[in-house]
Amino acid sequence: MDNKFYHQYLRKWLRIAYSQNQNPYVWIKNARPTQLPPAGDWRIWLILAGRGFGKTRTGAETLRSWIRDGRYKRIALMSQTIDEARSVMVEGVSGLLEIHPPLERPSFQRTRRRLVWPNGTVATLYGANHFEHLRGPQFDAVWIDELAKFRYPEEAWNQLMLGLRLGSDPRCIITTTPRPIPLIEKLLERQDVVVTKGTTFENSANLAPAFLNQIVKQFEGTRLGAQELYAEMLTERQGALWRRGGEKLF
C-alpha cells in the first residue's frame, strides 16, 4: 500500500474511532486523575507508585501532550541504561511509540539514540550509568524512569539538572517505584516538587486478574509488598516496618 492510500486509510480509521468514542489515543478520557499533570507552578513532578500503576504511560502521555502543544522541543529520556530507556520508555507497550496515533508518531533513530517528531521535537536517550555523557547537551524537558534504582542517582541527577536550562519553563517528570535513597528523600522536601503517590491496585482494571491474585498471595503483608505494590517509603526500626512519619505497618 503506497503512502497516499495508507494515510487515507488511517484518517478513515481515526474518524470511525472518534465517532464511536473508542479512540484509544484520547488520554484525557482514559487517564485516572492521578495520571494527569498537576496544576500550578512546579518544576519537578515526582510520581512514586507501585508496579503496574501506569507510571510509564503517565510519563509518555504527558510528554506527548507537551510536544503536540509545542511546549518543549529538546527532551532528555533517562533510565538506568540506554537499553532500558529504549525497551520501556520508547518501545514498551506504554512507551512513546505505542501511545501516539500513527500520524503523530515520532521516528526512532536507533543509532543516534533519539526520537524525532513531525514538528521537529527531538528526545534523546541517556543511561544513568554513563552520566558523564550529559556534559554538554541541554534540554527544556526531562523524563526520568525508575530513578530510585539508579546505581549513581546523585551524579546522574546533578548532570541532568545542569542541562535542564532551555526555554522559559523547563520541567522534569520522574516515574519510579520508591526506595528510601537520599536523593528521593531530598526531593520530597523541595518546594518546587509536586508528588503523586499511587498503588498497583488503582490500575486493577487494566491488569490481569491472575497477576493481581498472585501478588496479593505472595507479597501482601511483606516489606517488599509495601514498597513495590503500595509505594511506601520504608525503613526498619526496632525490628518493625514503618512508613515515613512513624506509622507502624506490620
Side-chain angles (χ1 to χ4, degrees), residues 179-214:
R179 292 181 183 177
I181 65 171
L183 177 56
I184 296 292
E185 294 179 339
K186 291 176 186 176
L187 290 172
L188 290 172
E189 298 298 323
R190 288 179 50 162
Q191 296 300 311
D192 60 348
V193 175
V194 176
V195 180
T196 295
K197 295 184 178 181
T199 74
T200 299
F201 305 101
E202 292 177 38
N203 196 32
S204 58
N206 297 307
L207 300 174
F211 166 76
L212 292 171
N213 291 336
Q214 177 59 37

XYZ file of all heavy atoms in Angstrom, residues 179-214:
283
model
N 12.140 3.913 46.750
C 13.100 3.293 47.655
C 13.663 4.420 48.518
O 13.805 5.544 48.028
C 14.235 2.595 46.898
C 13.813 1.366 46.118
C 15.001 0.729 45.434
N 14.626 -0.410 44.618
C 15.479 -1.109 43.863
N 16.755 -0.774 43.847
N 15.060 -2.130 43.140
N 14.021 4.150 49.750
C 14.476 5.221 50.646
C 15.922 5.622 50.391
O 16.788 5.508 51.258
C 14.286 4.605 52.035
C 14.472 3.136 51.809
C 13.875 2.853 50.448
N 16.194 6.126 49.196
C 17.540 6.609 48.891
C 17.600 8.099 49.221
O 16.585 8.798 49.211
C 17.916 6.351 47.425
C 17.024 7.162 46.473
C 17.835 4.862 47.105
C 17.486 7.129 45.025
N 18.785 8.626 49.518
C 18.885 10.034 49.922
C 18.314 11.013 48.904
O 17.696 12.011 49.288
C 20.392 10.225 50.105
C 20.900 8.868 50.484
C 20.063 7.906 49.685
N 18.491 10.757 47.613
C 18.005 11.695 46.611
C 16.485 11.811 46.642
O 15.942 12.926 46.567
C 18.476 11.273 45.213
C 17.976 12.146 44.060
C 18.340 13.603 44.273
C 18.522 11.638 42.727
N 15.783 10.696 46.754
C 14.325 10.745 46.833
C 13.888 11.522 48.072
O 12.951 12.334 48.034
C 13.722 9.330 46.846
C 14.017 8.602 45.533
C 12.222 9.383 47.108
C 13.327 9.166 44.332
N 14.569 11.290 49.185
C 14.213 11.999 50.421
C 14.429 13.503 50.276
O 13.630 14.304 50.780
C 15.027 11.436 51.584
C 14.671 9.979 51.893
C 15.498 9.407 53.025
O 16.583 9.961 53.303
O 15.064 8.412 53.625
N 15.491 13.897 49.564
C 15.726 15.328 49.328
C 14.623 15.926 48.455
O 14.141 17.037 48.713
C 17.084 15.523 48.652
C 18.284 15.227 49.522
C 19.562 15.368 48.720
C 20.780 14.931 49.517
N 22.019 14.985 48.700
N 14.239 15.206 47.426
C 13.206 15.705 46.520
C 11.878 15.899 47.246
O 11.140 16.850 46.968
C 13.031 14.751 45.341
C 14.182 14.715 44.336
C 13.983 13.584 43.331
C 14.317 16.049 43.612
N 11.576 15.004 48.169
C 10.325 15.112 48.919
C 10.270 16.359 49.792
O 9.187 16.804 50.186
C 10.124 13.865 49.790
C 9.808 12.569 49.030
C 9.830 11.377 49.976
C 8.456 12.668 48.329
N 11.405 16.946 50.083
C 11.457 18.148 50.917
C 11.431 19.437 50.114
O 11.252 20.516 50.685
C 12.739 18.111 51.774
C 12.820 16.935 52.735
C 11.701 16.957 53.766
O 11.347 18.073 54.210
O 11.187 15.881 54.103
N 11.578 19.357 48.808
C 11.678 20.570 47.987
C 10.313 21.200 47.727
O 9.319 20.513 47.523
C 12.377 20.253 46.657
C 13.855 20.004 46.807
C 14.530 19.673 45.507
N 14.249 20.610 44.408
C 14.988 20.707 43.310
N 16.068 19.919 43.159
N 14.673 21.553 42.361
N 10.307 22.525 47.674
C 9.072 23.256 47.463
C 8.623 23.252 46.005
O 7.446 23.481 45.716
C 9.242 24.712 47.936
C 9.501 24.846 49.422
C 8.350 24.275 50.246
O 7.185 24.582 50.014
N 8.675 23.419 51.209
N 9.546 23.022 45.081
C 9.192 23.047 43.656
C 8.899 21.653 43.112
O 8.825 21.459 41.898
C 10.307 23.697 42.838
C 11.643 22.967 42.959
O 11.771 22.093 43.845
O 12.546 23.261 42.155
N 8.730 20.680 43.997
C 8.418 19.308 43.598
C 6.973 18.988 43.969
O 6.563 19.158 45.121
C 9.365 18.294 44.289
C 8.958 16.864 43.951
C 10.805 18.549 43.857
N 6.204 18.544 42.998
C 4.848 18.056 43.243
C 4.904 16.529 43.253
O 5.452 15.914 42.336
C 3.867 18.533 42.158
C 2.488 17.922 42.375
C 3.776 20.046 42.168
N 4.339 15.918 44.299
C 4.429 14.470 44.479
C 3.063 13.827 44.240
O 2.044 14.278 44.788
C 4.924 14.112 45.896
C 5.007 12.586 46.066
C 6.282 14.756 46.160
N 3.054 12.791 43.434
C 1.873 11.956 43.231
C 2.204 10.549 43.701
O 3.235 9.997 43.303
C 1.450 11.920 41.750
O 1.032 13.215 41.347
C 0.311 10.935 41.533
N 1.355 9.984 44.551
C 1.558 8.626 45.029
C 0.397 7.743 44.592
O -0.745 8.209 44.483
C 1.689 8.609 46.556
C 2.918 9.344 47.070
C 3.051 9.213 48.582
C 4.303 9.916 49.076
N 4.469 9.788 50.548
N 0.691 6.476 44.341
C -0.366 5.571 43.914
C 0.036 4.122 44.087
O 1.223 3.788 44.149
N -0.957 3.253 44.158
C -0.715 1.830 44.370
C -0.968 1.041 43.096
O -1.609 1.523 42.151
C -1.621 1.271 45.472
O -2.962 1.151 44.953
C -1.627 2.165 46.704
N -0.479 -0.172 43.098
C -0.744 -1.101 41.995
C -2.231 -1.265 41.763
O -2.704 -1.313 40.618
C -0.120 -2.469 42.321
O 1.301 -2.314 42.464
C -0.419 -3.489 41.245
N -3.004 -1.320 42.823
C -4.415 -1.689 42.742
C -5.295 -0.583 42.155
O -6.427 -0.854 41.757
C -4.902 -2.110 44.126
C -4.048 -3.204 44.706
C -3.080 -2.911 45.657
C -4.171 -4.503 44.254
C -2.272 -3.914 46.169
C -3.367 -5.511 44.759
C -2.405 -5.222 45.721
N -4.773 0.630 42.051
C -5.530 1.688 41.399
C -5.734 1.418 39.912
O -6.642 1.962 39.292
C -4.814 3.038 41.593
C -4.816 3.514 43.031
C -4.040 4.807 43.201
O -4.121 5.670 42.303
O -3.344 4.956 44.223
N -4.865 0.593 39.347
C -4.946 0.269 37.923
C -5.433 -1.160 37.691
O -5.168 -1.762 36.656
C -3.567 0.455 37.270
C -3.643 0.515 35.757
O -4.621 0.982 35.179
N -2.604 0.009 35.100
N -6.165 -1.702 38.649
C -6.564 -3.111 38.569
C -7.419 -3.415 37.346
O -7.399 -4.539 36.833
C -7.321 -3.515 39.847
O -8.459 -2.694 40.038
N -8.157 -2.433 36.839
C -8.998 -2.664 35.665
C -8.188 -3.004 34.429
O -8.700 -3.637 33.494
C -9.868 -1.436 35.391
N -6.910 -2.612 34.428
C -6.050 -2.860 33.266
C -4.991 -3.920 33.520
O -4.085 -4.092 32.691
C -5.378 -1.550 32.844
C -6.375 -0.508 32.407
O -7.218 -0.763 31.552
N -6.305 0.680 32.998
N -5.089 -4.617 34.647
C -4.121 -5.656 34.978
C -4.797 -7.021 34.979
O -5.972 -7.141 35.310
C -3.498 -5.378 36.351
C -2.747 -4.054 36.489
C -2.314 -3.835 37.935
C -1.538 -4.000 35.557
N -4.038 -8.035 34.627
C -4.588 -9.389 34.569
C -5.034 -9.846 35.955
O -4.273 -9.716 36.925
C -3.547 -10.358 34.011
N -6.246 -10.395 36.091
C -6.707 -10.894 37.396
C -5.752 -11.917 38.007
O -5.550 -11.925 39.223
C -8.064 -11.523 37.072
C -8.545 -10.774 35.865
C -7.302 -10.487 35.067
N -5.161 -12.759 37.181
C -4.226 -13.762 37.703
C -3.011 -13.094 38.342
O -2.498 -13.568 39.366
C -3.788 -14.697 36.580
N -2.550 -12.002 37.727
C -1.429 -11.249 38.293
C -1.798 -10.666 39.649
O -1.044 -10.794 40.620
C -1.017 -10.134 37.336
C -0.119 -9.097 37.939
C 1.221 -9.358 38.153
C -0.619 -7.847 38.298
C 2.055 -8.400 38.722
C 0.195 -6.884 38.859
C 1.531 -7.163 39.068
N -2.972 -10.052 39.740
C -3.399 -9.446 40.996
C -3.558 -10.488 42.098
O -3.124 -10.273 43.236
C -4.713 -8.695 40.788
C -4.628 -7.443 39.904
C -6.020 -6.920 39.583
C -3.798 -6.355 40.581
N -4.156 -11.617 41.761
C -4.324 -12.689 42.752
C -2.982 -13.193 43.247
O -2.792 -13.442 44.446
C -5.131 -13.838 42.150
C -6.577 -13.463 41.898
O -7.107 -12.562 42.544
N -7.214 -14.134 40.959
N -2.039 -13.336 42.322
C -0.738 -13.885 42.692
C 0.049 -12.929 43.582
O 0.638 -13.339 44.580
C 0.073 -14.211 41.437
C 1.483 -14.723 41.714
C 1.485 -15.991 42.547
O 0.609 -16.833 42.375
N 2.449 -16.123 43.444
